[in-house]
Structure formats: C-alpha cells, structure tokens
Amino acid sequence: MFNIILFGPPGSGKGTQSEKLIAAYGLKHLSTGDLLRSEITRQTPLGLEAKSIMDRGQLVPDEVVVGMISSALEANPQAQGFLFDGFPRTVAQSEALDKLLNLKNTSIGVVLALQVTEEELVQRLLNRGLTSGRSDDTNESVIRARIKEYQDKTSVVADYYSQFDKVVNVKGEGSVEEIFAALCSEIDKRMS
Ligand code: ADP
C-alpha cells in the first residue's frame, strides 16, 4: 500500500492533480472538502453544522473530519492506497491520521506540497467561483480567510511530516501536465 498526502493552500491545484494521480496509480481519493460538500447536499446534521463554518472560510472541527476519514478508510478495505486531498489540515488531524493508518499496518509514503504564490491563489479561486457553484469561492474576503486559516493552522502540517523526511515541495505554477509530471516523478522515486 502506498499512501500520499497532496498538500497545499486552497487553490493550489490539489483537486485537479488528484484526479490525474488516482487514475495513474489506482489510488482511492479521499477529499474532506468533497466529503463535506456531499454531507451538505444531502442535508445531514453534519452537513448543516459544517456549512456555516465553511461559508466563513474556517476549519471544521478536527473530530468531525477525522471521523469522516476513519469511516472512509473502513469503507475501503480493498484499496491499494489512498490519496488524501485537503486532509490533514491541522497537526491534531495529522497525528490522528498516523494512528488510523498504523492500525491498518500502513503509513504515509510521501507528502507532495504544491507551491503557489498568494496572489495567484486568489485569482484562481475567484475564477473558479465564476463556474464552480461554490459559495466559498465567490467572495474575496472568504478566500483571504481560507488562506489565513491555511497559514495559521495548516502550513505547520508540512513541518510535522518534515520531521519524518516525508515532504517534497513541487512547483504548483505552470501547465497542469508539467505539474503532474513533476508529481509523478517524485512518487515514482519513492514507490520503488
Ligand atoms: P479548498 O482547499 O480549495 O479551500 P476544500 O474543498 O479542500 O477547498 O475545503 C473547503 C472547506 O471545507 C474548507 O475551507 C474548510 O472549511 C472545510 N474543510 C475541508 N477539509 C477540512 C479539514 N481537513 N479540516 C477542517 N476543515 C476542512
């Protein structure tokens, strides 16, 4: 089993690259943003709780997202590996993930960290907001709040995995294909 964290700020291209990576490596895609939006669409109690937090650009409580990931791991016992996208977003989530993977006798193989400048992120998210139907992408102050949450709480996740030598920085600007090739080359080095 080879498990990957695709890491980076909102708008860094995690969703786009995830789709390509899961197809290339046969991984199961676990995006907490997608899981939360599915809860919102189905109007579950969890979705109703999460929506107001997400609309403010803040992070949903750790217990909520860790619970979703735990269920998703249980629901996919046959997976050849997982691609985590948008998770973990705090050190507490990282520690919880390591424990869950440990119980399955596996671990994180690599953390691929996409590097994109803040102004490029804001532009991409505003552009995405024109077509994505995501309310958190249409308002610049919500976008800035999400980037601030990333800087305050999520960027330290890279430090957490650095202590285990698992982080590789990859330039997240350029064509989708160029970035994908750079990610694949890092994965291939570590998978063999
Ligand atoms: P993006 O990274 O582009 O902002 P996501 O779809 O990954 O979009 O996440 C959207 C929102 O969902 C976040 O702003 C946050 O409110 C919530 N969210 C997603 N994943 C997590 C997580 N692991 N922990 C806490 N909140 C999360």
Side-chain angles (χ1 to χ4, degrees):
M1 210 180 201
F2 193 80
N3 306 298
I4 298 171
I5 295 174
L6 191 55
F7 186 76
S12 57
K14 301 188 296 292
T16 304
Q17 296 296 335
S18 289
E19 293 303 326
K20 299 176 73 69
L21 291 170
I22 55 166
Y25 294 96
L27 303 170
K28 173 72 188 168
H29 186 198
L30 294 184
S31 156
T32 41
D34 288 350
L35 292 170
L36 288 166
R37 282 184 289 275
S38 153
E39 298 278 344
I40 292 173
T41 305
R42 290 182 282 121
Q43 302 197 317
T44 64
L46 192 161
L48 295 175
E49 181 195 341
K51 186 177 186 329
S52 61
I53 301 173
M54 290 166 72
D55 281 346
R56 275 180 272 135
Q58 294 171 352
L59 293 186
V60 172
D62 289 335
E63 319 74 88
V64 173
V65 286
V66 169
M68 286 192 324
I69 288 289
S70 175
S71 309
L73 292 176
E74 289 307 311
N76 290 282
Q78 74 305 337
Q80 296 173 43
F82 294 94
L83 176 70
F84 298 96
D85 161 7
F87 179 89
R89 262 177 153 96
T90 63
V91 171
Q93 290 178 23
S94 312
E95 289 169 348
L97 176 62
D98 282 355
K99 283 195 189 129
L100 289 171
L101 292 177
N102 206 5
L103 290 172
K104 298 176 78 76
N105 291 315
T106 184
S107 62
I108 292 299
V110 67
V111 178
L112 299 166
L114 291 168
Q115 312 288 316
V116 178
T117 61
E118 177 164 345
E119 280 325 297
E120 170 78 13
L121 295 175
V122 174
Q123 276 317 311
R124 286 187 190 179
L125 291 168
L126 284 169
N127 279 336
R128 184 168 83 184
L130 299 174
T131 53
S132 68
R134 279 180 54 172
S135 49
D136 60 346
D137 283 345
T138 45
N139 179 320
E140 185 163 343
S141 70
V142 174
I143 290 174
R144 299 256 178 215
R146 282 155 59 200
I147 294 173
K148 181 156 193 320
E149 284 281 80
Y150 173 83
Q151 288 161 348
D152 290 350
K153 297 174 185 164
T154 305
S155 60
V156 288
V157 166
D159 302 333
Y160 172 82
Y161 284 105
S162 289
Q163 56 173 328
F164 311 114
D165 261 337
K166 290 193 173 169
V167 181
V168 184
N169 292 324
V170 174
K171 189 167 158 233
E173 296 185 38
S175 73
V176 169
E177 287 307 327
E178 277 164 1
I179 299 164
F180 177 61
L183 293 170
C184 290
S185 123
E186 295 300 338
I187 294 169
D188 295 342
K189 272 188 228 164
R190 282 163 185 81
M191 253 185 154
S192 51

